[in-house]
Amino acid sequence: MARNSREIERMFKMQEQILKLSSWILQDLDSQAHKLNEKERRILLALSNGDLAQHDRFIANAAERLRRIIEEMARITAAREKVNAEFERQRHMLKTMSERLAVMRGEEQRANDERELQEYLDRRYG
């Protein structure tokens, strides 16, 4: 049984690392989304300025940049949803592994206590 708990503890630690990696990926995606939102805001602000609204070329370039930002935001949103779903799955697996590890440790402790008691009884009344 000790081997099983060590294996589960090793898997538990790996699950913790996977959960941490998912968290970092979510943070990176949030940062990318924030940067894109800021770019979009700056472009829309420039487009709303009356002086620049007269320049067709600038407007065409700004519109193309906005289109690329929107596409990138859609990609980031889809990636974030996927990573978030995986993050939740990993968190659930980590909780399950933690509970299983606690049960196995309890069983090992109980078996160890019973073995020690039996050894004591054998020595005492043997």
Side-chain angles (χ1 to χ4, degrees):
M1 264 212 213
R3 181 174 179 218
N4 286 338
S5 69
R6 283 194 306 268
E7 289 175 7
I8 290 175
E9 192 165 339
R10 183 180 59 80
M11 289 189 302
F12 179 74
K13 288 180 181 180
M14 287 175 41
Q15 288 295 110
E16 285 181 322
Q17 291 173 344
I18 290 170
L19 188 67
K20 189 181 289 188
L21 177 63
S22 295
S23 175
W24 291 342
I25 291 171
L26 285 173
Q27 289 174 358
D28 183 55
L29 289 172
D30 287 344
S31 173
Q32 289 179 30
H34 177 73
K35 288 176 185 175
L36 288 173
N37 281 331
E38 184 58 29
K39 286 181 182 179
E40 181 181 41
R41 186 193 65 75
R42 284 195 316 258
I43 291 170
L44 290 174
L45 182 65
L47 285 174
S48 68
N49 185 340
D51 295 336
L52 295 176
Q54 305 303 321
H55 303 286
D56 291 341
R57 188 174 185 183
F58 174 80
I59 292 173
N61 288 338
E64 177 61 24
R65 288 193 322 231
L66 279 174
R67 185 191 60 75
R68 284 193 309 259
I69 287 172
I70 290 169
E71 288 173 355
E72 184 68 12
M73 283 296 286
R75 186 193 66 77
I76 287 173
T77 300
R80 190 177 194 309
E81 288 172 1
K82 186 176 179 180
V83 170
N84 197 38
E86 179 64 17
F87 180 78
E88 289 301 320
R89 188 182 77 77
Q90 292 294 334
R91 185 166 47 192
H92 177 70
M93 287 177 60
L94 189 63
K95 181 182 176 199
T96 302
M97 288 286 252
S98 176
E99 292 167 355
R100 184 173 176 200
L101 184 59
V103 167
M104 289 199 74
R105 285 181 178 159
E107 289 174 359
E108 287 174 352
Q109 183 63 42
R110 192 172 16 265
N112 190 36
D113 291 347
E114 287 175 7
R115 185 178 35 78
E116 288 176 359
L117 178 61
Q118 187 61 44
E119 288 173 1
Y120 173 76
L121 290 173
D122 288 345
R123 283 192 311 262
R124 179 84 172 161
Y125 300 108

